[in-house]
Amino acid sequence: MTMFNRFMFGGDWNPEQWPEDTWEHDIRLLEDAHINEATINVFSWALLQPDEQTYDFSMLDRIVDLLVRHGFAIVLATGTAAIPAWMARDYPQVMRTGIDGTHQVFGGRHNFCPTSPDFRRFARALASRVAERYAGTPGLEAWHVNNEYGNGGGYCYCDLCAQAFRGWLERKYGSVEELNRAWCMNFWSHTIHDWNEIVPPVTYSDAIGTDKCVISGLQIDYRRFQNEQMLDCFRLERDAIREHDAHTPVTTNLMGVFKDLDYYSWGREMDVVSWDNYPGMDTEPSFTAMCHDLMRGVGGGKPFMLMEQTPNQQNWFPYCKVKKPGEVAKLSWQAVAHGADTVQFFQLKQSIGGCERFHGAVIGHDDSERSRTYREVRALGADLERRASALMGSRVYGQVAVVFDWENYWSLEGCVGPTQGLHYPDEVHRFYRPFWRRNVPVDMVESTVDLATLKQYRAVVAPTLILVKPGVAQTLTQYVREGGTLITGYMSGIHNEFELVVEGGYPGPLRELCGVWIEEIDAIAPDAHIDVTIGGRTVRGSIVASIIEPEGAQTIAIYGGGDFYAGTPAATVHTVGEGRVVFIGTALDAEGMGAVIDPVIDACGAETVDSPEGVEVIRRTADDGTVFTTVINTADRSVQWPHALGGEDLDLAPFETRIM
Ligand code: GLA
Ligand code: ZN
């Protein structure tokens, strides 16, 4: 089942930045490039509402009319992502206060206080008016609420937020005694005696570094609270739209592994997940694949929208590489192969002013069809027109589940010690990559996924599962007992949901299941590594080394090197009931992860496809059983694949995609 009436190929268009007599010309160029969709009104609040009393939809009417005349699909934004000047002036509390206490003034975007009743009131009113006016517009395919919640602005630390946080805590903990216990507040004299003594986690000490907090329970609860406040803002705009339009899907654009919002909680509130894919020059294709799988998982497995990607370079990395010939097409097809039902860009026409004027766009500063970017987009558009519609609505079915859990993200990266070297998405990717390399389809899940869901998978992978929420250890244990395979490892099983260490030795609630006791966790310097021998091979571990004492588990890898724990287990496997648990003690390199995980893939019966290095194979299956197998050469070199997929030889050009 697909949500949309056509395969949308388009993206953000901001015609309000140009004289109106240029619009027709732009539309013609876009049509020639097979573009059939425009996302509009993302940042138009100041034009739509020049002052508190006045609304003016005349320009937006003309933009919409033009698109309707040209038969474009429309993704219509509510326009609430950047605050107009009058509001910042007359209602300063709508502006966000940063972690350093700086109260923002007018300018920028994504910088509203999510608690501010004035912001909420004005945003709801605008969303409601936009929806009332444009509901039923021919070609309207989706509503786009706000934009990239949380991007750039960080959380808000203002007095309104502090006040609301106190109420939130009171409802959660009931008494200050309970809160003091849950947060271990007798540490460094943090004990409180009154709710009013609570302040948001803005006080850092140099000794522990930035983005770390003396009281981890406070930090993680503030993250949970801010996530809910932002999500409330999304909900209130969504509900305002729903009063005028009962059916058109409502979305907001997410950002893959963005840290500050728990996207699973967002996915549950959205009709369709959309996201913005901006790989940097060093991003591995497997990492991008993981992000797509994550966004699909956040949406409950349904197809998603690729709301934004650049048709050439970004402008906001420190160094912005241009995309190579064919690379944008490759990224687009990779998204489709992983479940995208749209391919959209930021943006359709390149700004001449503002800080994004060096950001790639379909129509560049040359304003013509001659640029390489334009020509590649046009070729891609023709190709998508021919081949992509058939895939719409079909699903990717994972055989293995990889846990990606935002509270784990916060918990792992919030630790002061034993190392600063752990970045959660990279650690999840380290465990994901061996599956990607063998083309085992992966579904990303949150840690609280239920047993019935887990049982659909040949294996469950839970990297750095540091924070074990109530019920999770029991579910995983049951899954393994009944024949499942679990892969986990270093930094798992340490905290409960309050960020308190579970007493009795690591990995705490997972200790019995893993059959190991982690007595110590050694940190490895950034430029160092530790040798690990596995099956006669020597590979490398990094970041941390768990010193493992087996309690029923068998050793499958051993530390080398000169340290006192050389010769002790670096990885183990434990048989539990009908299943087994693999525990990996150190962050192994790609070869090492493969050496541990490849035999597990073979043993658990997941389907694999052996493809040449860099060639990705992924399937989408339609409701009627039709299977689309996409083969993507993710690399900038040609590849020969003899007897590809058991059939004929394949000669793949650099970045080429085939669909079988
Ligand atoms: C984000 C935003 C867009 C634009 C792009 C530039 O994705 O949503 O408005 O700023 O970044 O890459
Ligand atoms: Zn605030």
Side-chain angles (χ1 to χ4, degrees), residues 14 53 162 166 191 352 382 389 403 477 527 538 566 587:
N14 295 297
Q53 274 75 37
R166 290 177 196 124
T191 316
I352 56 168
S389 308
V403 174
T477 304
D527 49 357
T538 302

Side-chain angles (χ1 to χ4, degrees), residues 148 254-256 274-280 283 287-289 291-292 295 304-311 314 316-317 323 330-332 334-335 344 346:
E148 291 192 337
L254 309 181
M255 295 173 281
S274 62
W275 87 284
D276 303 344
N277 181 31
Y278 289 103
T283 307
F287 192 91
T288 302
C291 292
H292 287 307
M295 294 292 92
F304 57 90
M305 303 171 78
L306 179 64
M307 185 66 88
E308 292 182 22
Q309 65 172 346
T310 173
Q314 288 94 330
W316 42 265
F317 281 119
K323 297 280 188 296
K330 175 211 68 175
L331 288 167
S332 304
Q334 189 185 29
Q344 296 160 271
F346 183 91

Side-chain angles (χ1 to χ4, degrees), residues 113 156 158 161:
C113 164
C156 186
C158 76
C161 284

Side-chain angles (χ1 to χ4, degrees), residues 461-480:
V461 186
T464 57
L465 188 70
I466 189 168
L467 185 154
V468 184
K469 294 177 204 170
V472 169
Q474 292 78 350
T475 304
L476 290 175
T477 304
Q478 198 56 29
Y479 168 75
V480 173

Side-chain angles (χ1 to χ4, degrees), residues 9 14 33 48 69 78 100 121 131 163-164 284 320 371 432 446 463 474 511 518 532 619:
F9 180 55
N14 295 297
L48 298 178
R69 257 190 288 120
T78 55
D100 58 355
R121 175 166 63 91
Q163 198 51 40
E284 291 182 49
C320 301
S371 68
Y432 174 95
E446 49 188 338
Q474 292 78 350
R511 180 168 170 181
I518 308 305
V532 171
R619 299 203 164 88

